[in-house]
Amino acid sequence: MNNYSNDNSARRYKAHVSIVGTTQLHLRNPYIIAWWSAAFPGFGHLLLSKYLRGYALFIWEVAVNIKAHVNGAMIYSFQGNIDMAKEVLDTRWLLMYIPVYIFGIWDSYRTTVDMNKVYLLAERENHRFNSFALGALEINYLDKRNPMVAVMWSLLIPGLGQLYVHRILTALFIIIWLVVFYYCSHVQEAVVLLFLGQIKEATSVLKPEWLLFIPSHYGFAAYDCYINSIENNKLFEKELRNYLTENYQSERFRLLKGQKVE
């Protein structure tokens, strides 16, 4: 494959391959990105590879959610105990939580629309980009991955699917926070007690406020690695097609209304 570096000789690049992952532009549905931001602030930005913004919103969500007891109020609401839901909410933190939560949804939607426009311009420009990165710590290159294999690993342990498709930054972030959620929710202790048939003890040991973070974490990890597997496969095929066309296709080769003309 070609080994071109993104040296700012083009206005826009479709992708960049580095030792920590492959970052690329592709068309995304703004409503889906906004939905993930609503499910968990920061997830929408991580899907866009806007890591710093995504990390900031994610950490804010965890910290302020716990302080405001939002998850605790949700649990009481699910049980139909509205009075207790109102009682546990801490309005001092809640009033800070709401604006940032709405901002995350709005900003991820706006950014997706902008990045879709940039992708269309980059696709039209079709400038070369690096497809191979070799460093002292890692090697990364464009290759095809099986999306279902990525999902399978993510459902076992979130973050493994990202390692499979070589999204190192996202993988590390997901794995670290999975450990935090596991530890704080005591979910693994509850699973062991459940296997031992001690259902009441398993229920009592759980910390529901932390437990509610885990389903979103699993869902995001599976969706992120699935989508990126598909898009990386498309990028690999496009890059290989361009390389073969440039280096092996005859200059006299033409296609006219679906017919080859020599």
Side-chain angles (χ1 to χ4, degrees), residues 28-78:
R28 298 173 172 91
N29 188 325
Y31 293 104
I32 292 179
I33 301 298
W35 185 90
W36 276 110
S37 290
F40 205 119
F43 279 169
H45 292 85
L46 292 180
L47 287 169
L48 297 172
S49 297
K50 306 281 282 187
Y51 294 111
L52 296 180
R53 202 176 306 180
Y55 294 164
L57 288 170
F58 185 99
I59 295 170
W60 171 273
E61 161 67 16
V62 175
V64 180
N65 186 309
I66 293 298
K67 289 292 185 179
H69 304 291
V70 174
N71 282 353
M74 289 175 60
I75 293 169
Y76 285 119
S77 298
F78 295 154

Side-chain angles (χ1 to χ4, degrees), residues 25-216:
L25 296 172
H26 61 84
L27 292 177
R28 298 173 172 91
N29 188 325
Y31 293 104
I32 292 179
I33 301 298
W35 185 90
W36 276 110
S37 290
F40 205 119
F43 279 169
H45 292 85
L46 292 180
L47 287 169
L48 297 172
S49 297
K50 306 281 282 187
Y51 294 111
L52 296 180
R53 202 176 306 180
Y55 294 164
L57 288 170
F58 185 99
I59 295 170
W60 171 273
E61 161 67 16
V62 175
V64 180
N65 186 309
I66 293 298
K67 289 292 185 179
H69 304 291
V70 174
N71 282 353
M74 289 175 60
I75 293 169
Y76 285 119
S77 298
F78 295 154
Q79 296 172 345
N81 195 343
I82 305 300
D83 292 333
M84 278 301 299
K86 295 178 181 178
E87 184 69 23
V88 299
L89 281 174
D90 188 332
T91 54
R92 293 175 301 173
W93 287 95
L94 185 65
L95 292 178
M96 290 191 294
Y97 176 84
I98 294 174
V100 178
Y101 181 83
I102 296 173
F103 169 81
I105 299 172
W106 171 81
D107 188 64
S108 64
Y109 179 91
R110 175 197 64 82
T111 304
T112 306
V113 173
D114 286 345
M115 290 181 65
N116 284 346
K117 295 175 182 178
V118 173
Y119 165 77
L120 294 175
L121 293 172
E123 181 74 12
R124 191 177 188 88
E125 189 170 343
N126 197 28
H127 199 276
R128 298 168 176 170
F129 58 90
N130 63 317
S131 58
F132 187 95
L134 176 64
L137 298 177
E138 259 293 357
I139 302 172
N140 186 25
Y141 50 88
L142 290 182
D143 197 6
K144 300 196 77 171
R145 299 286 190 273
N146 188 324
M148 296 312 300
V149 171
V151 171
M152 178 195 72
W153 283 114
S154 284
L155 293 178
L156 287 175
I157 292 293
L160 296 183
Q162 277 69 26
L163 289 178
Y164 172 67
V165 300
H166 207 100
R167 285 173 62 81
I168 305 299
L169 294 177
T170 305
L172 291 175
F173 189 80
I174 290 175
I175 291 172
I176 289 170
W177 278 100
L178 180 69
V179 173
V180 173
F181 294 152
Y182 273 171
Y183 181 82
C184 293
S185 67
H186 299 278
V187 66
Q188 292 182 314
E189 297 173 47
V191 170
V192 172
L193 291 170
L194 189 63
F195 285 152
L196 295 174
Q198 302 177 23
I199 299 177
K200 185 178 294 185
E201 290 80 358
T203 303
S204 63
V205 78
L206 283 173
K207 302 295 183 184
E209 284 192 319
W210 288 94
L211 182 65
L212 284 188
F213 290 128
I214 296 178
S216 298

Side-chain angles (χ1 to χ4, degrees), residues 213-234:
F213 290 128
I214 296 178
S216 298
H217 211 63
Y218 267 83
F220 168 77
Y223 178 81
D224 176 75
C225 67
Y226 178 80
I227 290 298
N228 279 283
S229 297
I230 293 175
E231 295 301 331
N232 283 358
N233 289 347
K234 293 179 182 177

